[in-house]
Amino acid sequence: MTPKHDEKVDIAIIGGGLVGASLGCALAALVEGARLRVAVIEAAPLLPQRAEPWQPSFDARASAIAGGSARHFASLGVWERMAEMAAPIRTIHVSERGRLGVTRLRAAELGVEALGHVIPNAWMGRVLHGRLSELPLAWHCPARVEAIHPVAEGHRLQLSDGSELEAGLTVLADGGRSGLKERLGIESHERPYDQVALIASVEVSRPHEGVAYERFTPAGPIALLPLQGQAMELVWTHERGQEERRLALSDGDFLAELQQAFGDRAGHFRRVGRRHAYPLSLITARETARPGLAVLGNAAHALHPVAGQGFNLALRGVMDLVAAIETGIERDQRPGSSAVLQDFEARRDADRGNVIRFSDGLIRLFGLDLPLLSHARAAGLVGLNLTGPLRRGLARRAMGLER
Ligand SMILES: Cc1cc2nc3c(=O)[nH]c(=O)nc-3n(C[C@H](O)[C@H](O)[C@H](O)COP(=O)(O)OP(=O)(O)OC[C@H]3O[C@@H](n4cnc5c(N)ncnc54)[C@H](O)[C@@H]3O)c2cc1C
């Protein structure tokens, strides 16, 4: 096919999902100041969500957003709009089925208004895409990057719409499922958890008052996050295969089983939205930067969602990449140069390792069904009530709200 057009950019972002769109917004000052030419390529057509007013869908997936992420969004100028659909987390309640130990962490104890916020993903996407549309960047959507080849100073990308792009820095923010990473020879380490997360919105009979619940059961953890109104986002972990029966249940039977598994600490479950299943693995790319290439978001690391860390970690990656690019520009280094990408790696290394180890460790600790360990865990949770700093650390990190 004859290329539709041939474009040269400083940075090409493959994927305009939460991470790629955040990166586009974080590059705003450099794009608006004509310091960088940036292209974003997104395969999926944007949802017809431009109509006003926006109605939060009862089925929407939502994410727990840490205070640090809110501050990053504020620095991108998008927090005020994000906050319109955000539900504050005022208390975190951690418990274990069959054990008495419960630990609670309240925002008031820490002198803060909220421990974090829960925001529908679709709303975050809409706000980020709205900001992107104001920027003078090349937006290829819907268009899929079909091939990527290294060239002298960067990569050449072939798009499904027939155009070709040459980019000094290519950022892989494609969620990790497009096969591009593998075609570049980047291997990933994958360890399946043999678990599937069943996600749904549920409505509870009484106001949740901003309580987020994390409950550990022998079959895996259950998280319940507050949304605006009386809705909550359910993340219910199942042993692989066990979720199929629950997906097929009538709403009434599903709600009864959820009530049985979760108890009545959140009130009565009255309504459930569409259920979605996500098989869970820990996937980490063995390489996240090389000259001309950076890997971000799920393409770099897919974590167990119950710890609510994935996007928060990814957003810190976005901010670190932009900081490394800005430092590079001050030093007259190209965004795709090895100096900039080494700087990016140095900034990311410890944070990424710590979060991956923490969320994986949490799942393993609470997933082991050994009697002695169960006692230790219960004692741990009770003990956490006694030892403030440790308890705060666990509860905040377990909800992905630590940074
Ligand atoms: C059930 C669940 C619950 C979660 N809850 C939380 C939470 O509470 N808090 C939190 O911090 N994190 C959470 N996460 C993690 C969070 O959802 C991910 O970190 C985040 O979605 C990753 O975004 P991404 O942009 O990297 O990938 P994606 O969202 O997968 O986006 C990738 C984009 O790239 C596009 N694309 C793919 N291939 C191509 C191509 N070849 N060319 C062009 N475009 C392409 C896709 O269309 C897509 O839009 C959760 C994850 C799951 C599964």
Side-chain angles (χ1 to χ4, degrees):
M1 195 190 308
T2 325
K4 250 177 33 190
H5 50 265
D6 206 352
E7 201 179 319
K8 228 173 166 172
V9 293
D10 299 296
I11 302 177
I13 304 170
I14 305 181
L18 287 182
V19 173
S22 298
L23 175 62
C25 293
L27 290 167
L30 293 170
V31 173
E32 284 176 324
R35 307 286 299 272
L36 291 178
R37 284 158 306 159
V38 176
V40 184
I41 307 113
E42 168 53 50
L46 285 190
L47 294 173
Q49 54 181 6
R50 300 253 168 228
E52 300 286 348
W54 191 76
Q55 291 296 334
S57 148
F58 184 63
D59 287 333
R61 258 186 57 198
S63 297
I65 297 302
S69 296
R71 284 190 289 280
H72 290 319
F73 278 146
S75 74
L76 307 189
V78 293
W79 176 247
E80 218 172 290
R81 286 227 79 199
M82 293 269 179
E84 288 172 23
M85 294 296 153
I89 298 178
R90 305 217 187 273
T91 304
I92 298 172
H93 179 292
V94 184
S95 63
E96 189 179 12
R97 190 171 177 197
R99 309 279 160 207
L100 290 176
V102 163
T103 188
R104 282 191 191 82
L105 177 70
R106 294 187 174 86
E109 279 176 58
L110 300 182
V112 291
E113 225 170 83
L115 295 163
H117 289 84
V118 187
I119 312 182
N121 287 9
W123 178 250
M124 287 199 279
R126 179 182 162 107
V127 172
L128 291 168
H129 288 149
R131 174 70 184 122
L132 279 188
S133 69
E134 297 167 357
L135 300 177
L137 42 72
W139 174 243
H140 296 259
C141 177
R144 166 170 293 277
V145 175
E146 296 194 318
I148 177 165
H149 303 286
V151 291
E153 285 199 338
H155 291 84
R156 191 163 187 82
L157 315 181
Q158 281 169 355
L159 274 54
S160 55
D161 64 5
S163 46
E164 292 202 356
L165 281 180
E166 199 170 307
L169 172 63
T170 298
V171 181
L172 216 47
D174 66 346
R177 290 181 303 273
S178 73
L180 293 173
K181 197 168 55 171
E182 291 72 16
R183 268 182 263 163
L184 287 164
I186 299 178
E187 289 177 17
S188 296
H189 173 80
E190 175 161 3
R191 189 153 47 73
Y193 284 117
D194 288 327
Q195 291 180 340
V196 174
L198 203 153
I199 313 289
S201 300
V202 290
E203 192 180 276
V204 284
S205 60
R206 60 168 188 247
H208 51 58
E209 291 175 341
V211 180
Y213 297 90
E214 184 106 56
R215 181 159 176 76
F216 292 93
T217 78
I222 307 178
L224 209 52
L225 304 171
L227 295 167
Q228 286 192 351
Q230 242 152 284
M232 300 192 88
E233 168 90 354
L234 169 71
V235 183
W236 189 356
T237 316
H238 289 69
E239 286 167 19
R240 193 150 48 120
Q242 302 292 313
E243 81 288 357
E244 282 163 21
R245 190 186 63 78
R246 287 230 168 88
L247 283 169
L249 287 176
S250 69
D251 286 0
D253 290 345
F254 179 84
L255 289 169
E257 291 198 9
L258 175 62
Q259 198 79 61
Q260 166 79 20
F262 194 77
D264 57 7
R265 55 188 54 72
H268 290 287
F269 297 111
R270 291 199 301 211
R271 190 177 154 211
V272 59
R274 206 149 62 93
R275 291 159 244 167
H276 305 267
Y278 293 87
L280 302 179
S281 300
L282 172 66
I283 305 175
T284 46
R286 290 194 197 276
E287 199 185 341
T288 47
R290 62 166 71 153
L293 188 81
V295 188
L296 284 180
N298 267 15
H301 44 70
L303 312 180
H304 198 299
V306 84
Q309 310 263 347
F311 178 67
N312 290 302
L313 176 65
L315 189 57
R316 296 199 291 274
V318 164
M319 301 312 286
D320 278 343
L321 179 59
V322 174
I325 290 170
E326 284 169 346
T327 306
I329 288 177
E330 281 164 22
R331 296 178 183 162
D332 223 11
Q333 293 158 345
R334 289 175 300 105
S337 65
S338 43
V340 166
L341 289 151
Q342 276 166 13
D343 180 17
F344 165 64
E345 263 311 271
R347 290 170 192 257
R348 291 313 303 140
D349 204 27
D351 181 24
R352 198 190 292 130
N354 286 342
V355 170
I356 291 171
R357 269 191 301 280
F358 171 76
S359 56
D360 188 43
L362 190 73
I363 303 311
R364 288 157 163 274
L365 174 66
F366 286 94
L368 295 174
D369 196 22
L370 302 172
L372 269 176
L373 246 181
S374 292
H375 286 298
R377 287 194 301 254
L381 290 182
V382 176
L384 290 170
N385 252 336
L386 303 173
T387 53
L390 184 59
R391 175 170 64 94
R392 279 181 210 136
L394 178 97
R396 282 172 69 87
R397 288 197 78 171
M399 301 300 297
L401 304 175
E402 183 60 16
R403 284 184 55 176

